[in-house]
Structure formats: C-alpha cells, structure tokens
Amino acid sequence: MVNIARELDVRVLAEGIENEAELGVLRAAGINLFQGYYFAKPGFMTLPQVAFIAEKPIEAALAAR
C-alpha cells in the first residue's frame, strides 16, 4: 500500500500506533505521519500537550511530553 501511495503521490498516515516497535516498523516502511495512543491518549474535553514543530524528529517531540 505504501508503494502504491508513493506512486500516486499520496501521503500516508498510519493510525493506531500503540508502541515504539510499531512506530519503528512503519518509519522503516517510509511512513512519516502517525497518530495513536503512543503519542497521546484520548481525553474528555481536553487536548494533550504536544510539542509539534514540523522540522523536529518524532523522538524529540515525544521526549518533550
């Protein structure tokens, strides 16, 4: 699927990331957009603190939480 998306110039977003191992496999596949419990748990009437700067690697943003 990732290769087909690349050929069609479509950006891939991986959802449901729950641990570092999943993140590593998906990054190795060339995916760079992610969301899931690994980054923030859902909350009622709240937003998680997120250190988001597009140029920052994911690890730096995770370390800031």
Side-chain angles (χ1 to χ4, degrees), residues 34-54:
F34 309 94
Q35 71 180 44
Y37 282 179
Y38 182 64
F39 304 103
K41 304 265 190 265
F44 181 70
M45 303 285 290
T46 64
L47 291 174
Q49 291 256 350
V50 178
F52 177 76
I53 298 176

Side-chain angles (χ1 to χ4, degrees), residues 6-50:
R6 243 187 234 121
E7 287 178 23
L8 296 172
D9 199 28
V10 173
R11 295 179 75 181
V12 176
L13 168 69
E15 297 181 344
I17 310 306
E18 294 190 10
N19 57 55
E20 190 172 351
E22 292 174 346
L23 177 64
V25 168
L26 293 165
R27 287 184 85 182
I31 299 171
N32 59 12
L33 296 173
F34 309 94
Q35 71 180 44
Y37 282 179
Y38 182 64
F39 304 103
K41 304 265 190 265
F44 181 70
M45 303 285 290
T46 64
L47 291 174
Q49 291 256 350
V50 178

